[in-house]
Amino acid sequence: MAAEVLTIDEREVQEEKVMDVILGVAKGISKSGEGGLIVIAERADIDGLFETHYPQFTTAYPVTEKGMNVVLEKLATIDGSVLITPRGELVAFGARLLRSTTLPGFGTRHAAASGITESLPNATAILISEESSWIKVFQKGSIVLEMDSSEVNPNVMEKVATFLTRGDTALLAAAFLSIVVLPVAPQSIVYIGGAYLIVKSTFETISSLLKGIDSA
C-alpha cells in the first residue's frame, strides 16, 4: 500500500500533535521522579548517529495512537534515548547518541541533548531531569524551554507544541497576552527568542510576556 501523502498543513498539524503527546509523556515521567531523553528527528538525519544496546521492536502505530503514550513513557525511562520521527514513528529506544556537547555542571543526558540538536538543526530533544524533575527542551544545541510537571491548560500546551514545531513566537505570545502575569522568581523565567515563558507550578499556568512590555 502506498504511503499517505500529506499536505504541508496536514504535516504541520501531525507534527504538533506528536510534540503535544511527547510533552505530556515528559510530564508523566517527571511526576514519577524518573529521568529520560526523547529526541525528535528525521530517520534519515539521525541514522548513523546512535547505537542501541537492547533488542529492538517495530510498530506501525505512531505515538499519537491511543495507548502509545504509555508505551513511550516506559521506553523513555530505559537507559539511553528514545528516537521518534516528527510524524511519531518509533525509530529506536535505549539508544546511545554519538554526538554530545559537554555542559559544565550537567550530566550525560544534557550533553547528549545539546550535542544531537547542535548536529541536527531540525531536531528537538526533550530531557527530563531525574535530579530536579524539570523538563528541558533543546533545539540547535540550546535550551529553548523549561517547565515542571504541573498540569496546565491543554490549549496552552497546544500553543507550546506549535511554537516548538514551527518556531513562531508570535503564535505562542498571542495566546498568552490576556493572561495575568504574576511576580515570579528570576530563576522561573525562561527566555525564548523574543518572549518570556514563565512556568508557574503554584498557579498551574504558563504566562508569557512579549519583550518590552514586562515593565508596563
Side-chain angles (χ1 to χ4, degrees):
M1 185 172 63
E4 182 182 4
V5 178
L6 301 177
T7 66
I8 293 175
D9 287 344
E10 289 172 335
R11 180 181 288 261
E12 286 181 343
V13 169
Q14 186 176 21
E15 291 178 356
E16 289 163 16
K17 288 180 179 178
V18 169
M19 182 67 73
D20 193 41
V21 168
I22 292 176
L23 290 176
V25 166
K27 282 183 174 288
I29 296 172
S30 176
K31 288 177 182 177
S32 73
E34 297 186 84
L37 179 60
I38 303 171
V39 177
I40 304 172
E42 294 289 356
R43 191 184 298 266
D45 291 341
I46 205 165
D47 185 40
L49 299 182
F50 68 93
E51 296 176 345
T52 57
H53 301 288
Y54 304 96
Q56 301 288 300
F57 69 86
T58 59
T59 174
Y61 297 105
V63 298
T64 49
E65 287 289 321
K66 185 177 181 181
M68 281 299 293
N69 61 318
V70 178
V71 175
L72 180 57
E73 186 170 330
K74 296 298 183 184
L75 293 178
T77 56
I78 296 174
D79 188 37
S81 307
V82 173
L83 311 180
I84 304 287
T85 71
R87 271 80 55 203
E89 304 152 345
L90 177 65
V91 176
F93 62 91
R96 183 174 75 88
L97 298 174
L98 302 180
R99 294 289 186 274
S100 64
T101 301
T102 302
L103 297 178
F106 296 100
T108 55
R109 280 199 183 107
H110 284 76
S114 178
I116 198 65
T117 56
E118 188 174 49
S119 297
L120 303 177
N122 294 323
T124 298
I126 297 90
L127 181 151
I128 307 94
S129 172
E130 191 171 358
E131 290 76 20
S132 67
S133 294
W134 275 75
I135 299 160
K136 304 178 183 182
V137 182
F138 289 74
Q139 290 181 340
K140 295 180 173 62
S142 300
I143 297 172
V144 296
L145 184 147
E146 292 184 49
M147 68 177 74
D148 59 20
S149 62
S150 62
E151 294 299 324
V152 297
N153 187 306
N155 290 330
V156 172
M157 290 306 298
E158 287 177 8
K159 293 299 187 296
V160 172
T162 299
F163 160 73
L164 291 173
T165 53
R166 300 192 194 186
D168 190 342
T169 56
L171 291 171
L172 186 65
F176 303 141
L177 286 177
S178 62
I179 297 178
V180 176
V181 178
L182 301 164
V184 295
Q187 63 267 26
S188 300
I189 301 176
V190 181
Y191 183 72
I192 305 182
Y196 288 104
L197 190 69
I198 304 170
V199 181
K200 290 290 293 173
S201 59
T202 304
F203 298 93
E204 297 187 351
T205 187
I206 295 179
S207 301
S208 175
L209 279 176
L210 288 177
K211 185 171 65 173
I213 70 169
D214 54 332
S215 58

